[in-house]
Amino acid sequence: HGLGDVAAGSLIQRLIEIETYRTLALLGLPEARRIGPSVREIEVTLAKLIDESRNASGIIDNRRILDELSRLTADLEALTASVSYRFAASRAYDDIVFQRLDVLDDKQIGTHTSWRDFLSRRMAPARRTLNAMQDRLEDLSRKLTRSTALLRTRVDVELEQQNQELLKTMNERTRLQLRLQQTVEGLSVVAVSYYLVGLIYYALQG
C-alpha cells in the first residue's frame, strides 16, 4: 500500500530473511532434544558417584570413583562439543530475526497480532529449551570439575599418607640394618681381637 517497487522488494526480502533465519534459529532444538537423555544419564550418574564418594574409604574406592568422574567429564565434553556450534548458531540467528523485526517496526493492526509478537511466542519455547540445555551443560561441567578436584585432593592426601608410612617403614628398616651392621662389626672386632690374642699367646709361648 503506497510502496514503490524498490521499497516493496526490500520489504519482501526482509520478510524472506526473517523466515529463513527463523528456521535456522530452530535447528538447535532437535540437537537439544537429542542430547537430553544423555545429559540426564550423566546427571544421575554424577549424583550417584557423589553419594558414593561420601562413604568411600581407601584409595582404591576413591581412585575408582575418580576414574568414573573422568569418564563422565569426557562424555560431557564430547556432548558439549557436538552441540556448541549449533547452539551458538541458533542464538545468532535468533538475534538476527529480531534485528530484522526491529527494522520492519511492524505494528498491531486492529485485533491482528503483530508479526513480532507472533514470532516471539512461537520461538520463545525453543529459545528457552536451548538456554536451559546450555545452562544444564555448564552446571554439569562445574559440578564435575568441583567433584573431580575434591576427590583428586582426597586421593593425593591418601597417597601422601601412604608415602609417609612407607618412609617411616623405610626409616625403621634402615635403623634395624644399621643396628645389625653395628652388631656384626662388634662381633668382627671381637673375633679379630680373639684371633690376635691367640697369635700373641702362641708367640709368647714360643
Side-chain angles (χ1 to χ4, degrees), residues 105-161:
D105 193 23
D106 60 321
K107 301 290 192 305
Q108 181 174 346
I109 301 176
T111 58
H112 298 285
T113 303
S114 67
W115 202 16
R116 182 185 184 88
D117 293 338
F118 173 77
L119 289 181
S120 295
R121 287 198 297 269
R122 292 293 300 273
M123 297 177 65
R127 189 186 314 117
R128 284 195 292 266
T129 300
L130 292 178
N131 291 338
M133 183 57 68
Q134 186 71 37
D135 292 341
R136 286 175 67 186
L137 291 174
E138 293 175 356
D139 184 59
L140 261 179
S141 179
R142 288 191 295 267
K143 287 181 179 178
L144 280 169
T145 300
R146 288 196 301 266
S147 300
T148 302
L150 180 62
L151 201 57
R152 184 173 286 116
T153 301
R154 184 186 299 176
V155 170
D156 290 341
V157 170
E158 291 179 350
L159 284 175
E160 185 67 25
Q161 290 177 349

Side-chain angles (χ1 to χ4, degrees), residues 13-24:
Q13 181 181 358
R14 290 194 183 98
L15 298 180
I16 294 175
E17 288 176 350
I18 288 173
E19 180 60 19
T20 300
Y21 291 134
R22 182 193 70 82
T23 304
L24 293 175

Side-chain angles (χ1 to χ4, degrees), residues 54-105:
R54 295 170 55 193
N55 303 319
S57 60
I59 192 171
I60 296 178
D61 289 341
N62 288 325
R63 288 293 295 269
R64 177 185 60 80
I65 296 174
L66 185 60
D67 290 341
E68 288 293 323
L69 287 175
S70 299
R71 183 186 62 81
L72 282 183
T73 302
D75 292 343
L76 181 64
E77 290 298 324
L79 281 178
T80 303
S82 68
V83 298
S84 58
Y85 172 77
R86 176 51 55 195
F87 282 9
S90 293
R91 288 193 297 270
Y93 287 129
D94 186 82
D95 292 338
I96 293 175
V97 168
F98 288 95
Q99 288 175 1
R100 294 292 190 273
L101 290 171
D102 290 336
V103 172
L104 285 180
D105 193 23

